[in-house]
Amino acid sequence: MAKKTLCELFESNQAQLQHSLTGMTLPKDMSKVQKTVSSYLEKVFDAEGEFRQNLTQSEDYILDAAISLLNAQQKISSALLKDINIINDSKKLNTSANTPKNKESNSANVFNIGSKNTLFGVAGGAIAGKLILGGWGAVFGAIAGVALSIYLSNRTQTKPQSQTISTVVQEGNTNKPIDVDSFIHIIHDVCESVDNLIGTFRSQVNRVVQKYESQDKPTLDKEYRILLESIQSLVGYERNHDSTEEKYTKKIQDRIEDLAESLDNYDIKLVNYSEDKSSWFDKVPSPNTTGLKEVFPAIIKDNVLIIPGKVFIPS
């Protein structure tokens, strides 16, 4: 079954969000807009939990990275708005001598409405979301915040060039009804960007998996030929010699040691018990022993325990 995307979940009841946003103005209702969008996403995700359930732990990390990118976008958009306000402030100082006192006061009031409220409201999207909605609220808050910052930035930057910067900032900062369709389209684009990021990650993972599955898998006969030859020598001697032969026991012992030494080719060693290596052994109480007795050695590789040895101790 195909996995749900953020876009699909966002579109599932989009008319409800359009209705909730209708009539709001910016920058007056900035906080309200953020909360409305975040709450809508939270409601959709509660009703359709497939997106969260289908995310692997690695994809969760990618989602965290996406949130960081969204927050970075918020800061960039906020910085652009701030730069325009700084230029306007400078222009206002240069023209203050020729401006009537009452008009100068009105211009300053307009500047104050937009400058602080806009910048701080936009930058706090993910933080507010996290406080209101918990861990996943950071995702919803970031989406709402970055969409709002892009919307305001677009509204500010698309004014006719014939207008002065002062007029642009003044018009951009007065309370105006939000263009709901345009704003929702921006949110959709942000969700799509997050989907594309996660989709790219999934494609890369699938590519790695396919590459691995197409390769020849390690096999005992290819990777451990020397070990197999030692086993062959031991079994071959045992099957083709009489156990009553004078040198039978000695020959078997020699081949067993050859087998143990063959493991050196793979950086594997069989280590006997000693006090300084006691942590490599399981100690099993036994009523049949009066002292410590090794049952089998420990197996280590590159001085790291692979399989613990075993010793009997008096019970």
Side-chain angles (χ1 to χ4, degrees):
M1 184 178 67
K3 296 182 178 181
K4 286 282 188 180
T5 66
L6 275 173
C7 283
E8 290 172 339
L9 292 173
F10 175 71
E11 294 168 352
S12 61
N13 196 12
Q14 192 171 299
Q16 176 188 335
L17 180 60
Q18 290 176 315
H19 176 75
S20 299
L21 291 172
T22 301
M24 294 188 185
T25 61
L26 293 176
K28 175 185 175 183
D29 296 325
M30 182 173 302
S31 177
K32 190 175 180 180
V33 170
Q34 287 180 327
K35 290 179 181 178
T36 299
V37 175
S38 297
S39 297
Y40 167 77
L41 292 173
E42 173 70 9
K43 183 177 180 180
V44 170
F45 271 56
D46 281 343
E48 301 282 351
E50 296 175 53
F51 183 83
R52 280 180 280 191
Q53 294 172 5
N54 287 327
L55 284 181
T56 65
Q57 186 176 31
S58 297
E59 289 167 354
D60 268 333
Y61 294 147
I62 295 299
L63 189 61
D64 286 340
I67 295 172
S68 297
L69 291 174
L70 292 176
N71 289 334
Q73 174 65 50
Q74 285 180 266
K75 292 177 182 179
I76 292 171
S77 298
S78 298
L80 290 174
L81 291 173
K82 184 177 180 181
D83 286 344
I84 292 176
N85 285 331
I86 290 174
I87 294 173
N88 175 68
D89 197 26
S90 175
K91 186 175 183 66
K92 182 180 63 179
L93 291 175
N94 291 334
T95 58
S96 60
N98 299 321
T99 305
K101 194 168 186 179
N102 61 333
K103 289 186 178 180
E104 181 179 351
S105 176
N106 291 337
S107 177
N109 287 338
V110 170
F111 176 80
N112 287 334
I113 290 173
S115 176
K116 294 180 180 178
N117 291 343
T118 298
L119 295 176
F120 286 111
V122 170
I127 298 174
K130 196 161 189 175
L131 292 175
I132 296 169
L133 302 171
W136 269 84
V139 181
F140 310 142
I143 291 173
V146 76
L148 192 51
S149 67
I150 293 173
Y151 175 85
L152 292 173
S153 180
N154 288 346
R155 291 287 153 177
T156 302
Q157 296 178 36
T158 55
K159 297 295 179 181
Q161 292 184 357
S162 60
Q163 292 180 304
T164 65
I165 293 178
S166 177
T167 304
V168 170
V169 175
Q170 188 170 351
E171 288 187 4
N173 287 324
T174 53
N175 289 315
K176 288 186 176 181
I178 186 172
D179 184 339
V180 177
D181 290 338
S182 177
F183 182 57
I184 285 181
H185 181 72
I186 291 173
I187 299 175
H188 182 279
D189 286 348
V190 174
C191 290
E192 188 174 42
S193 296
V194 176
D195 283 335
N196 289 339
L197 183 62
I198 295 177
T200 300
F201 174 76
R202 284 173 176 166
S203 297
Q204 294 298 326
V205 170
N206 288 335
R207 185 177 301 175
V208 172
V209 170
Q210 290 172 3
K211 183 178 179 180
Y212 172 79
E213 291 179 345
S214 65
Q215 294 176 343
D216 292 336
K217 303 301 184 292
T219 59
L220 188 63
D221 58 306
K222 293 180 180 179
E223 303 296 322
Y224 298 94
R225 184 177 181 84
I226 298 175
L227 175 61
L228 286 177
E229 288 175 348
S230 297
I231 296 173
Q232 179 188 44
S233 174
L234 173 61
V235 174
Y237 188 87
E238 186 275 333
R239 289 181 177 178
N240 295 287
H241 291 80
D242 191 339
S243 60
T244 61
E245 292 180 13
E246 181 180 353
K247 296 182 179 180
Y248 179 84
T249 302
K250 178 66 168 60
K251 291 291 186 180
I252 288 294
Q253 290 175 338
D254 290 342
R255 279 167 170 72
I256 290 175
E257 289 304 317
D258 289 342
L259 174 60
E261 289 179 6
S262 70
L263 295 174
D264 289 342
N265 293 283
Y266 312 101
D267 298 320
I268 295 175
K269 295 183 181 297
L270 299 173
V271 179
N272 291 331
Y273 179 87
S274 63
E275 286 298 326
D276 59 324
K277 307 295 184 185
S278 61
S279 61
W280 289 351
F281 289 79
D282 293 331
K283 298 178 178 63
V284 181
S286 172
N288 300 320
T289 184
T290 57
L292 187 145
K293 182 180 180 181
E294 182 177 318
V295 181
F296 44 74
I299 301 178
I300 65 168
K301 181 174 183 178
D302 297 328
N303 211 39
V304 175
L305 180 67
I306 300 176
I307 302 176
K310 182 178 179 181
V311 294
F312 284 151
I313 59 174
S315 56

